[in-house]
């Protein structure tokens, strides 16, 4: 009976070792996925450089994503002067790296930047201003504000009256709103 118990204990230990080896292999697989993923939130197993994105041509109209790239093209007088592929679907995050691509190619930044509202962000405007790029880039709410039924939210900070001399805002009900602190947000860029 002692021999049977020893064999049973040995089988149990071997089973535990196999289970741990399976966990180790799975962990290594997950680490490899994370390495390929990098800063993105998805990638295609058939094309690891591609990221899953919502496409404009969505035949089923169900918001399905497909692996793809974000192609940025710079033009001047209808000639392509620069291009670059990005793995992220958001145009906002591509403008500054695209300007750096232009700088790498031509050893200077462009004098004028023209882009649609998808590129409008505080970081992008700041970059263009600090680098002397004349910006023709709409902000992201521009088209929404042009609609006839658009009404600004009276409680948003940009709608409030600011008294610079005494450093307070006035809410729509006429009450003074004193500053109680500073908060810094961190964005993807």
């Amino acid at each position: 009976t002692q021999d049977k118990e020893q064999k049973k204990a040995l089988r149990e230990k071997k089973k535990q070792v196999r289970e741990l080896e399976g966990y180790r292999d799975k962990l290594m697989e997950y680490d490899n996925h994370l390495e390929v993923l990098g800063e993105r939130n998805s990638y295609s197993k058939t094309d690891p450089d591609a990221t899953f994105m919502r496409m404009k041509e969505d035949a089923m109209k169900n918001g399905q994503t497909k692996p793809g790239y974000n192609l940025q093209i710079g033009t001047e007088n209808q000639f392509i002067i620069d291009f670059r592929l990005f793995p992220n679907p958001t145009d906002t995050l591509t403008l500054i790296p695209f300007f750096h691509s232009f700088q790498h190619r031509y050893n200077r930044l462009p004098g004028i930047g023209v882009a649609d509202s998808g590129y409008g962000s505080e970081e992008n405007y700041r970059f263009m201003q600090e680098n002397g790029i004349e910006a023709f880039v709409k902000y992201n709410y521009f088209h929404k504000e042009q609609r006839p039924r658009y009404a600004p939210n009276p409680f948003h900070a940009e709608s409030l009256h600011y008294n610079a001399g005494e450093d307070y805002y006035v809410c729509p009900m006429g009450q003074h709103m004193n500053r109680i602190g500073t908060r810094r947000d961190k964005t993807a860029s």
Side-chain angles (χ1 to χ4, degrees):
T1 58
Q2 179 133 357
D3 193 35
K4 281 184 176 181
E5 287 177 13
Q6 286 176 337
K7 284 183 179 180
K8 183 178 178 182
L10 186 62
R11 276 196 313 269
E12 185 63 34
K13 285 184 180 180
K14 284 183 179 180
K15 180 182 171 189
Q16 289 174 343
V17 167
R18 280 194 307 275
E19 192 175 335
L20 286 173
E21 287 172 345
Y23 289 147
R24 179 201 62 205
D25 294 343
K26 211 40 147 164
L27 187 59
M28 288 172 55
E29 181 184 335
Y30 291 153
D31 285 342
N32 289 336
H33 286 307
L34 288 172
E35 190 175 319
V36 171
L37 192 63
E39 295 294 316
R40 300 176 290 166
N41 60 8
S42 66
Y43 74 90
S44 169
K45 289 181 181 174
T46 56
D47 182 0
D49 291 332
T51 303
F52 279 90
M53 304 179 186
R54 293 194 194 291
M55 302 294 172
K56 289 189 178 171
E57 307 84 32
D58 184 9
M60 302 299 282
K61 303 221 184 291
N62 60 0
Q64 187 175 359
T65 59
K66 293 180 181 175
Y69 298 91
N70 186 346
L71 172 64
Q72 299 293 312
I73 298 173
T75 64
E76 185 174 344
N77 295 324
Q78 299 182 1
F79 288 98
I80 294 175
I81 56 172
D82 198 8
F83 67 93
R84 188 161 168 207
L85 285 175
F86 289 92
N88 55 316
T90 312
D91 287 337
T92 309
L93 302 176
T94 64
L95 189 65
I96 295 172
F98 190 59
F99 278 142
H100 288 308
S101 170
F102 182 93
Q103 186 173 31
H104 179 74
R105 189 179 301 263
Y106 297 106
N107 293 322
R108 66 176 181 85
L109 287 168
I112 298 173
V114 180
D116 67 26
S117 60
Y119 299 86
S121 75
E122 183 179 347
E123 292 89 352
N124 289 344
Y125 296 138
R126 183 181 300 121
F127 178 86
M128 289 183 283
Q129 183 178 21
E130 289 172 356
N131 289 283
I133 301 170
E134 189 176 1
F136 294 92
V137 182
K138 296 174 183 175
Y139 52 94
N140 53 2
Y141 279 97
F142 178 83
H143 293 289
K144 198 175 207 178
E145 289 178 359
Q146 302 307 308
R147 295 180 184 159
R149 290 186 300 272
Y150 173 77
N153 185 337
F155 291 95
H156 278 183
E158 58 270 4
S159 299
L160 302 176
H161 172 73
Y162 178 65
N163 182 321
E166 297 182 35
D167 191 25
Y168 66 83
Y169 282 95
V170 179
C171 87
M173 297 176 0
Q175 296 175 333
H176 289 204
M177 300 169 64
N178 295 318
R179 182 175 173 273
I180 59 169
T182 301
R183 184 183 78 195
R184 295 195 179 274
D185 291 334
K186 185 173 182 178
T187 64
S189 58

